[in-house]
Amino acid sequence: MPEFNAPLRDMRFVLHEVFQAPALWARLPALAEHVDADTADAILQEAAKVTSQLIAPLNRSGDEEGAQWHAGKVSTPQGFKAAYDTYIEGGWVGLSGNPDFGGLGMPKMLAVQFEEMLYAANSSFALYSALTSGACLAIDAHASTTLKETYLPPMYEGRWAGSMCLTEAHSGTDLGLIRTRAEPRADGSYSLSGSKIFITGGDQDLTENIVHLVLAKLPDAPAGPRGISLFLVPKVLVNADGTLAQANAVSCGSIEHKMGIKASATCVINFDGAQGWLIGEANKGLAAMFTMMNYERLSIGIQGIGCAETSYQNARTYARERLQSRAPTGAVAPEKMADPIIVHPDVRRMLLSMKAMTEGGRAFASYVGQQLDLSKYSTDAQEQQDAAALVALLTPVAKAFFTDTGLDSCVLGQQVFGGHGYIREWGQEQLVRDVRIAQIYEGTNGIQALDLLGRKVIANDGVALRLFTAQIREFAAPPGKPYQHELLQAVQRLEDLSDWLQAQAKLNPNEIGAASVEYLQVFGYVAYAWLWARMADVAQGSLEADPAFYTAKLATAKFYFKRLLPRIDSLEQSIRAGSESLFELDAASF
Amino acid sequence: MPEFNAPLRDMRFVLHEVFQAPALWARLPALAEHVDADTADAILQEAAKVTSQLIAPLNRSGDEEGAQWHAGKVSTPQGFKAAYDTYIEGGWVGLSGNPDFGGLGMPKMLAVQFEEMLYAANSSFALYSALTSGACLAIDAHASTTLKETYLPPMYEGRWAGSMCLTEAHSGTDLGLIRTRAEPRADGSYSLSGSKIFITGGDQDLTENIVHLVLAKLPDAPAGPRGISLFLVPKVLVNADGTLAQANAVSCGSIEHKMGIKASATCVINFDGAQGWLIGEANKGLAAMFTMMNYERLSIGIQGIGCAETSYQNARTYARERLQSRAPTGAVAPEKMADPIIVHPDVRRMLLSMKAMTEGGRAFASYVGQQLDLSKYSTDAQEQQDAAALVALLTPVAKAFFTDTGLDSCVLGQQVFGGHGYIREWGQEQLVRDVRIAQIYEGTNGIQALDLLGRKVIANDGVALRLFTAQIREFAAPPGKPYQHELLQAVQRLEDLSDWLQAQAKLNPNEIGAASVEYLQVFGYVAYAWLWARMADVAQGSLEADPAFYTAKLATAKFYFKRLLPRIDSLEQSIRAGSESLFELDAASF
C-alpha cells in the first residue's frame, strides 16, 4: 500500500529559505496579526498529520467504492463523513478565509502547501472543500453584506459546502451559450430553471447545506457572454437567523461514471424554479465567477503537483527496494540476488524528472501564492497592482503546466513499477486516473494556453510578461548567480518568441491558437528555470548547514538545466513553424 | 457510443502504393502460392467486418464486466465466447501461420493490418489470440515434430490457445532470477513446479485447452540467464491421437485488478508438478522464447497504433459535430449557435498530431512486416540476412515508439472531448486505460530502449543501423524527393548521435542507459520522417487520381515535418548532456 508523507522539509525550504515568506508577512499588516514563521510551521505540521493520517488512508477505498447516487441523493464512500467532520473541526476550510466572517486569514502562500498535501493524500476528498473555498472567495468579493453574513461563516466552518455551476450539456468552454434562466421574484430574489452538468460536489452527504454558485441568464439579458449573471442558490433555504428552512427546488439528477476521482461526485444538478440571489451586478456574472474560477485554476494546478509528489514518493521507495539486474558499472549489492533498480540510469532519469518538475512546481505555486497575498494585502498600490497583473498572467500557466507535467510524473512513476504499476495494489494506476482530470476541468489546458497567449500576453501588449521577465533578469543579473547564462538565454528567448507571436497574431488570428499550447510549455520551462536557479542559489549558500539536503537540491537543479530545459528548443521550432500546416485540410478530409 | 471503422483505404495505400507489397509477394514463392493483391483486399475487407461488427461491440461491456475469477476458473465477459467461436471459424488465429500445420501462410505485412484492426476494436479480446499466434511461432521454430504435429493445428484453428509464462513475483526484467523448476521424468518429459504472474490469458473459458510456454530451470542449470529452458505445458494433457486427456497440474490462483484491459485475464498460474516438454535445447530457453517475445513485441506495438486509430476516429467525429465558440477568423457556420470545434487551430493541432503519428506508425509496422516476410521467405541469402538484422533492430523501436506515441494520441483524443472525454460514455477514457499497459508489458519501453541502443546499435557496431539508414539515403538521393533536405539532415543526425554514443559507452557504461529512451525517440521520429517522405512521394505522383485523399496525405506529411520532427533537437540535446547529472544523488538522497 502506498503511503503519503508530507514533504515538510521541502515546503519549509521554499517558504522560509527561497521566498523568505515570514519577512513578507511581517510587513503586511493584515497578515502580520495572524501569522509568523512559528505559526506557519505549526500549521504545516498539523496539516501533515491530518492529510497523511486521516485523509490519505481513505484514498484507495474511496476509489474502489466510489460516490454513489440513489434516488436523487449522493452518498460518499465509507469513512468520508467521519473524516470530513474531524477535518472541518481543524478549521481547514477557512484557512485563508476572511477573518471578518470566521476565516483564519492565513496567507495563500501557506495555503498552497496545505492544498498540495490534500491533493497528494486524496484528490477526491480534496475537491469537496476546494470548491467551498473558491465559492467563499467569490461571495466575499462580490456578494451583498447580508449574503456574506449568512453564508460565509458556515462555509468557512465547512458545515456548508460550495459548488460551481457553469457547464451545461451544450455549453462548456463557450459559456455564452448557457440556457439556464433566472426570473426576478417580487422579493428581490430570483427563480432559477435549468440543468447543469459536471458539477463537482453538486450533491454529497458531508455537509448540512450546499451553496451553488450558478451562471444563468436574466430575461432581458443580451446574447452571449455579456448576458450572464451569477446567482447564489442554496440546496436548503436559509432562515433570517441562519438556521435551515425547507429544501430549495434543486435536485441531483445523476452522477457520472468517470476514469478517476471516483469518490468525488460529479453531478447533474437540476434547478426547477429554485430560489436564488444575485451576486454582483446583473450581466456581469462571468467576471464575478472568475474570482472563483481563478482560485480553482490554481487549486487544480496544485492537484497536478500533489499527485506527482505521491507518485514520486511511491516510485522512489519502490526503486530503492525492488531488486532486478545489476548496475551497468558492476554490482552495488553483490550480497543480494540483484541490485535495487535505483542504480539504473533510466530509472534515475525517471525519478529525477519527477523530482525536478514537482519541486519546480511547488516553488512556482508558492510564488503565485506570494503574488496573490501581495495583490490582496499589500499597502503599496503599485506593488498590489503589479502582483494582480502577475497573478492574471501566471494562473493559466500554473493550471496547465502543473497538470500536464503532473500527468507525465504520474505516468513515469507508474512506469518505474513495471507491471506492478498497472495493477490496483500499488496505487500508481489510480494516481494516473485521478490526475488526468486536472488537465481537463476548470477550463481545459488548451483554453488555459489561449488565455495566456491571447489575453494575458498579446492583448496585454506584453506588459505583464515584462513585469515577470524583469524579475528573472533582476535575479540573474549579479555575477556568480547559478545558471546565469542558461537562464538569461532562456528568458531572452521567451521574450523574443512573445514579440514574434505578437506580430504574427496581427497578420493572422489563427497564429495564437496554433502556438498557444507549446508557448505555455516554453513559458513553464523558463519559469521553472528561474525557480531552480533561485533554489540552487539558496542551496549553494547553505550547503554546510545540511549537506545532504542542499546537495540534492543542487543536483536536481543541474539535472533540470541539463536534461529538461533543452525542451524549449523543439517547442520553439514547432511554434515558429506557424499555423499554415494546420489549415491545409478541410474538416471532411481529416 | 464510439464506433470503429477499419481504415481500409489507408491500409491499402500503405500496402499497395507505398510498399507495393503484391509485387514482393509475387517474387517470393512461399507467399506467391497463397496471396495476391485481390486475396489481400478480400481478407482486409472481411477483417474489417469481423473486427468492427463482431468484436468492437464487446469492447465497452467487456471493460465494465471484466474477466472474473471464481474457484480457480476464469470466465470472460458476456458475449466473448460466442464472438470468439465465430472469430476462429474465420481462421484468423492462423492467418500468418505455417501451412504445413494448418496455418494460412499469409504475409506478415497483411497480418499487421489485421492486428491493428483487432486492437483498435477491442484490446482485451485481441490479446486472447495474439498470445496464441506468438506461441505457435515459437513452437514452429523450436519444438520437435511431434509437438508441432500435436499442438499447432488446434492452435492455428483457435480451438486451443497459447500463453507466455515468464514473469515471477521477484523476477520480471531480470529473468535470470526465475525459480520455477523442471525435473526430468523417466519418459523424457519434465515435471514443472513454480508460480508465474502476469500471465495474459493464463486461464479463460474460450478454448478447450491452453498451451503454456514456460521458462524454468533444470536441476543442473547454470545460474542466471544461461540456465533457463523453455517448456510446453498444456492445461489439459493430450492423448497421442490429439484428443484431450486428464487435467494437468496447472491452476490459476487469481487474476489481477488492473487499470485497463479488464476483459483480458491477467493470471497467477501455478505449476505443481505439471507435465511439460522441452522446446529446443536445454538452457537455451531464453533464445527460443525470444521468437515468441519478438513477435509479441511487434504485436503490442501495434496495440498502440490500433488504440490511437480508434481514439483519432472518435475525436475527429466529435470535433466535427461539437459546436462551441467561433473560429478565430470569423464564424464558419453562422447559421448555427457556434462553430464545430474542428475550426480551432489547437483542436486541429491535436487531431493532426494523432493522424501523423498513427499513419506514420502504420507505415512503420508495415515496413517491419515486410522485413519479417523477407527474413522468412526470401530465397536470396543476403536479402534474408539483412532483413533479419533489420527486424532485430526495429522491433524495440516499434514496440516502444508505437506505444509511447499511442498513449499520447489516446490522451490527445480524450482532450479533444473536454469533460466528456473523462467519463465512460464516449469510450475515450477506456482507450487511455487500455493502451497504457502496452508501454509496460512484453518488456517495458525502457527495456526496449536499452535493447535498441545497447544490443542492436552499440554491440552491433552500428552495422544494422547503417543498413537502415542506407535505405533512407537511397530513397532521399534522387533530386526532387519531398522533404529531401530535412530527411537527409535528420538521418545524418541519427548516425552522428549513434557514433557519439558508441564512443561515450566505451568511456562509461552508464551512458547507454542515460541516453537510451531519448535515443529510441529520435530513432522513431527519423524513421517516421522517412516514411512520411515516402508517403508524400507516392501522394504527389497520384494526386489527380483522388485529390482529397492524396492532398490529405501531403498536408499530414507537411504537418509532420514542420511541427513534429523538430522534437529531435531537444531530445538530442538531452542525450548529449550525458549521464553525469543522473549520478550526483545517492539513493538515500532522492
Side-chain angles (χ1 to χ4, degrees):
Chain A
M1 273 287 283
E3 203 178 290
F4 168 64
N5 291 296
L8 286 181
R9 178 72 184 88
D10 285 296
M11 288 176 168
R12 283 199 306 264
F13 169 69
V14 170
L15 273 186
H16 297 328
E17 301 173 57
V18 179
F19 291 106
Q20 304 179 309
L24 172 69
W25 301 337
R27 79 165 171 87
L28 302 177
L31 288 175
E33 60 172 309
H34 297 293
V35 69
D36 60 15
D38 289 346
T39 323
D41 281 349
I43 288 175
L44 288 177
Q45 203 88 42
E46 190 57 28
K49 224 169 86 186
V50 168
T51 51
S52 65
Q53 293 173 21
L54 180 74
I55 297 171
L58 297 171
N59 190 44
R60 177 169 164 187
S61 58
D63 178 62
E64 289 181 18
E65 188 181 338
Q68 305 288 335
W69 182 93
H70 183 67
K73 292 201 178 316
V74 169
S75 43
T76 56
Q78 267 200 348
F80 269 51
K81 172 67 177 151
Y84 185 81
D85 288 346
T86 308
Y87 167 68
I88 66 173
E89 271 170 34
W92 297 107
V93 182
L95 188 64
S96 57
N98 185 346
D100 295 344
F101 301 99
L104 297 182
M106 287 295 148
K108 186 71 193 173
M109 248 188 135
L110 188 62
V112 299
Q113 317 303 325
F114 173 61
E115 284 178 78
E116 185 197 316
M117 293 186 212
L118 207 52
Y119 284 112
N122 189 330
S123 285
S124 287
F125 188 96
L127 289 165
Y128 287 108
S129 59
L131 275 293
T132 308
S133 306
C136 288
L137 213 62
I139 294 170
D140 191 31
H142 304 287
S144 68
T145 309
T146 315
L147 288 177
K148 286 197 231 183
E149 284 171 349
T150 309
Y151 288 93
L152 285 179
M155 290 177 79
Y156 284 142
E157 274 179 62
R159 282 194 295 118
W160 299 359
S163 97
M164 181 162 78
C165 298
L166 286 72
T167 305
E168 300 177 10
H170 65 289
S171 162
T173 295
D174 191 353
L175 288 170
L177 302 175
I178 60 164
R179 292 181 190 142
T180 298
R181 298 272 145 196
E183 303 277 345
R185 297 188 184 200
D187 66 356
S189 70
Y190 294 82
S191 191
L192 278 95
S193 300
S195 186
K196 297 285 183 177
I197 66 166
F198 297 161
I199 309 309
T200 301
D203 195 45
Q204 32 79 355
D205 55 3
L206 303 175
T207 63
E208 298 161 17
N209 202 0
I210 300 174
V211 182
H212 302 288
L213 298 196
V214 186
L215 291 184
K217 297 201 152 189
L218 290 165
D220 55 351
R226 286 188 192 80
I228 298 175
S229 304
L230 180 62
F231 298 88
L232 182 157
V233 186
K235 177 182 173 184
V236 184
L237 293 166
V238 180
N239 295 315
D241 65 356
T243 57
L244 296 177
Q246 74 276 26
N248 201 352
V250 178
S251 60
C252 175
S254 62
I255 61 174
E256 305 293 345
H257 298 279
K258 310 187 298 294
M259 183 183 193
I261 54 163
K262 288 180 189 248
S264 165
T266 305
C267 304
V268 173
I269 298 290
N270 300 314
F271 300 93
D272 299 298
Q275 191 174 12
W277 287 265
L278 185 67
I279 296 184
E281 284 179 58
N283 300 329
K284 299 251 167 95
L286 217 45
M289 190 53 127
F290 258 91
T291 303
M292 175 167 189
M293 188 78 130
N294 278 329
Y295 174 90
E296 297 301 339
R297 285 181 171 177
L298 177 58
S299 178
I300 289 314
I302 294 171
Q303 182 185 358
I305 303 174
C307 291
E309 171 67 25
T310 304
S311 178
Y312 173 68
Q313 289 188 15
N314 293 345
R316 171 181 64 186
T317 305
Y318 189 80
R320 284 178 185 147
E321 291 170 2
R322 173 77 173 173
L323 305 176
Q324 209 76 177
S325 304
R326 293 294 179 190
T329 45
V332 302
E335 73 288 1
K336 294 187 176 150
M337 68 172 190
D339 290 336
I341 60 172
I342 202 166
V343 303
H344 298 295
D346 186 52
V347 172
R348 291 180 155 251
R349 181 190 61 82
M350 292 192 277
L351 290 174
L352 278 162
S353 299
M354 296 165 77
K355 186 173 167 62
M357 296 311 288
T358 305
E359 294 181 13
R362 182 175 300 128
F364 191 81
S366 302
Y367 174 74
V368 178
Q370 184 192 50
Q371 299 308 312
L372 276 163
D373 288 332
L374 286 169
S375 72
K376 200 166 170 184
Y377 299 118
S378 174
T379 50
D380 175 319
Q382 185 63 48
E383 184 180 60
Q384 189 169 27
Q385 193 186 317
D386 287 355
L390 285 169
V391 168
L393 176 75
L394 301 177
T395 298
V397 183
K399 195 281 183 180
F401 198 59
F402 295 172
T403 60
D404 282 348
T405 59
L407 178 72
D408 289 347
S409 285
C410 290
V411 167
L412 284 174
Q414 186 182 29
Q415 196 71 18
V416 169
F417 278 76
H420 298 276
Y422 196 67
I423 62 177
R424 187 181 274 283
E425 195 179 345
W426 295 87
Q428 295 300 89
E429 64 88 29
Q430 186 189 340
L431 285 167
V432 174
R433 287 186 290 107
D434 284 355
V435 80
R436 179 68 184 94
I437 186 61
Q439 300 172 287
I440 299 172
Y441 60 10
E442 310 310 339
T444 64
N445 286 0
I447 293 299
Q448 305 300 323
L450 281 176
D451 180 44
L452 171 69
L453 181 58
R455 279 195 217 126
K456 307 296 174 58
V457 174
I458 289 179
N460 180 259
D461 270 331
V463 174
L465 175 74
R466 251 56 187 194
L467 214 54
F468 182 64
T469 55
Q471 294 200 359
I472 302 182
R473 289 187 182 283
E474 193 189 326
F475 163 81
K481 287 289 172 188
Y483 303 104
Q484 186 172 41
H485 173 70
E486 292 88 338
L487 183 56
L488 286 170
Q489 205 171 43
V491 79
Q492 184 66 52
R493 206 146 174 179
L494 176 62
E495 288 175 338
D496 292 348
L497 187 60
S498 307
D499 292 344
W500 183 80
L501 282 165
Q502 188 114 27
Q504 290 301 107
K506 284 189 188 122
L507 306 175
N508 179 352
N510 279 328
E511 292 297 323
I512 297 174
S516 48
V517 163
E518 284 144 327
Y519 177 80
L520 186 146
Q521 300 266 334
V522 171
F523 197 116
Y525 282 112
V526 174
Y528 281 27
W530 173 47
L531 293 160
W532 268 115
R534 286 181 71 165
M535 292 192 273
D537 193 33
V538 172
Q540 221 150 39
S542 310
L543 205 49
E544 283 168 27
D546 184 350
F549 180 82
Y550 294 109
T551 304
K553 291 282 170 263
L554 290 172
T556 312
K558 183 189 264 191
F559 175 81
Y560 182 81
F561 277 95
K562 295 264 179 204
R563 307 244 353 183
L564 301 183
L565 184 60
R567 291 178 183 172
I568 61 175
D569 283 21
S570 291
L571 290 165
E572 183 180 348
Q573 281 188 58
S574 182
I575 292 168
R576 287 189 187 262
S579 69
E580 185 201 349
S581 67
L582 299 176
F583 285 91
E584 302 214 333
L585 275 177
D586 55 32
S589 299
F590 270 83
Chain B
M1 271 287 283
E3 202 179 289
F4 168 65
N5 291 297
L8 286 181
R9 177 70 184 88
D10 285 296
M11 288 176 168
R12 284 198 305 263
F13 169 69
V14 169
L15 273 185
H16 297 330
E17 301 173 57
V18 179
F19 291 107
Q20 303 180 309
L24 172 69
W25 301 337
R27 80 165 169 84
L28 302 177
L31 288 176
E33 61 173 308
H34 297 292
V35 68
D36 59 16
D38 289 345
T39 322
D41 282 348
I43 288 175
L44 288 177
Q45 201 88 43
E46 189 57 27
K49 222 169 88 186
V50 168
T51 51
S52 65
Q53 294 173 20
L54 180 75
I55 298 172
L58 296 172
N59 191 43
R60 178 170 165 188
S61 57
D63 178 63
E64 289 181 18
E65 187 181 340
Q68 305 289 334
W69 181 92
H70 183 69
K73 293 200 179 315
V74 169
S75 43
T76 56
Q78 266 201 346
F80 269 52
K81 173 66 178 151
Y84 185 81
D85 288 345
T86 308
Y87 167 67
I88 65 173
E89 271 170 33
W92 296 107
V93 182
L95 187 65
S96 56
N98 185 346
D100 295 345
F101 300 98
L104 296 183
M106 287 296 148
K108 185 70 193 172
M109 246 187 137
L110 187 64
V112 299
Q113 317 303 325
F114 173 61
E115 283 179 79
E116 184 196 317
M117 293 186 212
L118 207 53
Y119 284 112
N122 190 330
S123 285
S124 287
F125 188 97
L127 289 165
Y128 287 108
S129 60
L131 274 294
T132 308
S133 306
C136 287
L137 214 62
I139 293 169
D140 191 32
H142 304 288
S144 68
T145 308
T146 314
L147 288 178
K148 287 198 233 184
E149 284 170 348
T150 307
Y151 288 94
L152 286 179
M155 290 177 79
Y156 284 142
E157 275 178 61
R159 281 193 296 117
W160 298 0
S163 96
M164 181 163 79
C165 298
L166 286 73
T167 305
E168 300 177 9
H170 65 289
S171 163
T173 296
D174 190 354
L175 288 169
L177 301 175
I178 61 164
R179 292 182 190 141
T180 299
R181 298 272 145 197
E183 303 277 344
R185 298 188 183 200
D187 65 356
S189 69
Y190 294 82
S191 190
L192 278 95
S193 301
S195 187
K196 297 285 183 177
I197 67 166
F198 297 161
I199 309 308
T200 300
D203 196 45
Q204 31 80 353
D205 56 3
L206 303 175
T207 62
E208 298 162 16
N209 202 0
I210 301 173
V211 181
H212 303 289
L213 298 197
V214 186
L215 292 183
K217 296 200 153 192
L218 290 165
D220 54 352
R226 286 189 192 78
I228 298 174
S229 304
L230 180 61
F231 298 88
L232 182 157
V233 186
K235 177 183 173 184
V236 183
L237 293 167
V238 179
N239 296 314
D241 65 356
T243 57
L244 295 177
Q246 74 278 25
N248 202 351
V250 178
S251 60
C252 174
S254 61
I255 61 175
E256 306 293 345
H257 298 279
K258 310 188 298 295
M259 183 183 194
I261 54 163
K262 289 181 189 244
S264 165
T266 304
C267 304
V268 173
I269 298 290
N270 300 314
F271 300 93
D272 300 297
Q275 191 174 13
W277 287 265
L278 186 67
I279 296 183
E281 283 180 59
N283 299 328
K284 301 251 167 97
L286 218 45
M289 191 50 127
F290 259 90
T291 303
M292 175 167 188
M293 189 78 132
N294 279 330
Y295 174 89
E296 297 302 339
R297 285 181 170 177
L298 176 58
S299 178
I300 289 313
I302 293 170
Q303 182 185 358
I305 303 173
C307 291
E309 170 66 25
T310 303
S311 178
Y312 173 67
Q313 290 188 15
N314 294 345
R316 172 181 63 186
T317 304
Y318 189 79
R320 284 178 185 147
E321 291 170 2
R322 172 76 172 171
L323 305 177
Q324 209 76 175
S325 306
R326 292 295 176 189
T329 45
V332 302
E335 74 289 2
K336 295 188 177 150
M337 68 172 190
D339 290 336
I341 61 173
I342 203 165
V343 303
H344 298 296
D346 187 52
V347 171
R348 291 179 156 253
R349 182 191 60 82
M350 294 193 276
L351 291 174
L352 278 163
S353 299
M354 297 166 77
K355 185 173 167 63
M357 295 311 288
T358 305
E359 294 181 13
R362 181 176 299 129
F364 191 81
S366 302
Y367 175 73
V368 178
Q370 184 191 51
Q371 298 308 311
L372 276 163
D373 287 332
L374 286 169
S375 73
K376 200 165 171 185
Y377 299 118
S378 173
T379 49
D380 175 318
Q382 186 63 46
E383 183 179 61
Q384 188 168 28
Q385 195 185 315
D386 287 354
L390 286 170
V391 168
L393 175 76
L394 301 178
T395 297
V397 182
K399 196 281 184 181
F401 198 60
F402 294 172
T403 59
D404 282 349
T405 58
L407 178 72
D408 290 345
S409 286
C410 290
V411 167
L412 285 174
Q414 187 183 27
Q415 196 72 16
V416 169
F417 279 76
H420 298 276
Y422 196 66
I423 61 176
R424 187 182 273 284
E425 195 179 347
W426 294 87
Q428 295 300 87
E429 65 88 29
Q430 185 188 340
L431 284 168
V432 174
R433 289 187 289 107
D434 283 355
V435 80
R436 179 67 184 94
I437 185 60
Q439 299 172 286
I440 299 172
Y441 60 10
E442 310 310 340
T444 64
N445 286 0
I447 293 299
Q448 305 300 324
L450 281 176
D451 180 45
L452 172 69
L453 181 57
R455 281 195 216 125
K456 307 297 174 58
V457 174
I458 291 180
N460 180 259
D461 270 331
V463 175
L465 174 73
R466 251 57 187 194
L467 215 53
F468 182 64
T469 54
Q471 294 199 359
I472 301 182
R473 289 185 183 284
E474 193 189 325
F475 163 81
K481 286 289 172 189
Y483 302 105
Q484 185 172 42
H485 173 70
E486 292 88 339
L487 183 56
L488 286 170
Q489 205 171 44
V491 78
Q492 184 66 51
R493 206 146 174 178
L494 176 63
E495 287 175 338
D496 291 349
L497 187 61
S498 306
D499 291 344
W500 182 80
L501 283 165
Q502 189 114 28
Q504 290 301 107
K506 284 188 186 123
L507 307 174
N508 179 353
N510 278 328
E511 293 296 324
I512 296 174
S516 48
V517 163
E518 284 145 326
Y519 177 80
L520 185 145
Q521 299 266 334
V522 171
F523 197 116
Y525 282 113
V526 174
Y528 280 27
W530 173 47
L531 292 160
W532 269 115
R534 285 182 72 167
M535 291 192 274
D537 193 32
V538 173
Q540 222 149 38
S542 309
L543 205 48
E544 283 168 28
D546 184 351
F549 180 81
Y550 294 108
T551 303
K553 292 281 169 262
L554 290 172
T556 313
K558 183 189 264 191
F559 176 82
Y560 182 82
F561 277 95
K562 295 266 178 202
R563 307 245 352 183
L564 302 183
L565 184 60
R567 292 179 181 171
I568 63 175
D569 282 21
S570 291
L571 290 165
E572 183 179 348
Q573 280 187 59
S574 182
I575 291 168
R576 288 187 185 263
S579 69
E580 186 201 349
S581 67
L582 300 176
F583 286 90
E584 303 215 332
L585 277 177
D586 55 31
S589 299
F590 269 83

